[in-house]
Amino acid sequence: MTLSTEQADFYLAQLRAESARLAEVGRMGLGAAVPNCPGWTVESVVRHVATVYLHKVEVLRLAALPDPWPPDFGDRDALELYDEARTAVVDALEQAGTGRATWTFNPDDKTSGFWYRRMALETVVHRIDVEQAHDVVTPIDPELALDGIDEVLFPTLAGPWWEEGDTEHPVDAAVRITAGKRSWTVRADATSVVVSPEAEGEVAAEVFGAADAVFLWLWGRLDASAIQSAGDEDVVREFRARLAECTT
């Protein structure tokens, strides 16, 4: 799948803006605890995102997973490393363009365009982490939040990860997610998750709300008070727990 010029420009603009905001808040204090990532501090987030960026620079350079990975960045100043990495990943994406064949974890998209979207969404989630740590949360672009819902449902949740039944939360039900004017229907059992990008068929539970609230709930950055739900509440809890098995 090749992104349009407009989509690519949108993701790069979001990546630049979100990564700059993450750096800005990071400089408010690296020691603050991240409330929805137990054991993490702002410094943990900054180092994590820097490492993710540099990993994608190598993925785009090699068109494959780098091995061995990661290098030892432990002696580097976290913010200095992060600033270098956020510049490098934007440069790497621009040089690759959107149609270069490369490694991705999306079975339906093996192009560099996948990483435009993924890096923008990776960054906004972790920008929220550091903002929550300092209690300075700012809004998410509504279009990006909707796109983030779509991505966390597929490929993050509904990828080919479950064939061995490696889950403690089989769900065994259908769930509908609605935000803005979009809906997704998710059917899950112990060995598969299938997502339809529309409202179709009967479901055991529904989750709905503002796009940013639903997006952040799906990623575990807001609790259930941020969204609305209907139907079987046990299914909603199991669905969120299944997502937690494949998100960080």
Side-chain angles (χ1 to χ4, degrees):
M1 180 181 72
T2 302
L3 295 180
S4 69
T5 300
E6 292 76 11
Q7 288 173 311
D9 289 347
F10 172 74
Y11 291 132
L12 280 181
Q14 291 295 320
L15 174 55
R16 288 188 178 100
E18 294 290 346
S19 64
R21 174 62 178 168
L22 195 159
E24 177 186 22
V25 180
R27 286 179 166 83
M28 295 174 65
L30 292 173
V34 178
N36 290 300
C37 297
W40 277 34
T41 64
V42 170
E43 181 170 1
S44 308
V45 175
V46 170
R47 288 190 179 278
H48 168 76
V49 179
T51 303
V52 169
Y53 286 164
L54 294 172
H55 182 262
K56 300 313 169 294
V57 170
E58 289 299 290
V59 165
L60 291 166
R61 183 178 70 85
L62 299 170
L65 283 171
D67 184 23
W69 187 267
D72 183 3
F73 298 124
D75 62 345
R76 293 293 308 277
D77 176 83
L79 287 166
E80 180 182 88
L81 178 68
Y82 175 78
D83 284 338
E84 290 177 11
R86 69 188 183 96
T87 297
V89 76
V90 170
D91 288 347
L93 289 167
E94 290 184 316
Q95 290 171 17
T98 60
R100 180 185 295 180
T102 192
W103 177 86
T104 78
F105 61 83
N106 185 343
D108 296 339
D109 187 358
K110 299 299 182 183
T111 70
S112 49
F114 171 85
W115 294 114
Y116 277 66
R117 183 195 202 199
R118 176 85 286 277
M119 289 300 93
L121 291 166
E122 174 83 7
T123 306
V124 71
V125 170
H126 292 304
R127 182 265 284 178
I128 291 291
D129 286 336
V130 299
E131 288 187 332
Q132 288 178 336
H134 285 291
D135 195 22
V136 289
V137 175
T138 57
I140 299 173
D141 180 283
E143 182 180 347
L144 188 66
L146 282 172
D147 200 45
I149 295 169
D150 189 73
E151 191 217 38
V152 76
L153 295 178
F154 181 86
T156 306
L157 175 63
W161 333 122
W162 311 107
E163 293 176 358
E164 302 300 320
D166 186 21
T167 178
E168 296 180 3
H169 305 279
V171 184
D172 286 327
V175 179
R176 180 156 301 129
I177 308 295
T178 299
K181 296 181 179 180
R182 296 186 64 180
S183 291
W184 298 259
T185 304
V186 184
R187 291 178 172 81
D189 59 30
T191 59
S192 68
V193 178
V194 177
V195 176
S196 173
E198 56 190 16
E200 62 174 22
E202 295 185 3
V203 296
E206 296 188 50
V207 172
F208 48 97
D212 57 349
V214 172
F215 173 59
L216 293 175
W217 175 80
L218 290 168
W219 272 100
R221 268 55 183 189
L222 292 177
D223 64 25
S225 66
I227 52 95
Q228 296 173 278
S229 62
D232 191 328
E233 290 299 318
D234 288 338
V235 168
V236 173
R237 283 190 290 271
E238 283 294 286
F239 175 75
R240 176 66 198 93
R242 179 70 165 270
L243 264 167
E245 292 179 324
C246 61
T247 55
T248 300

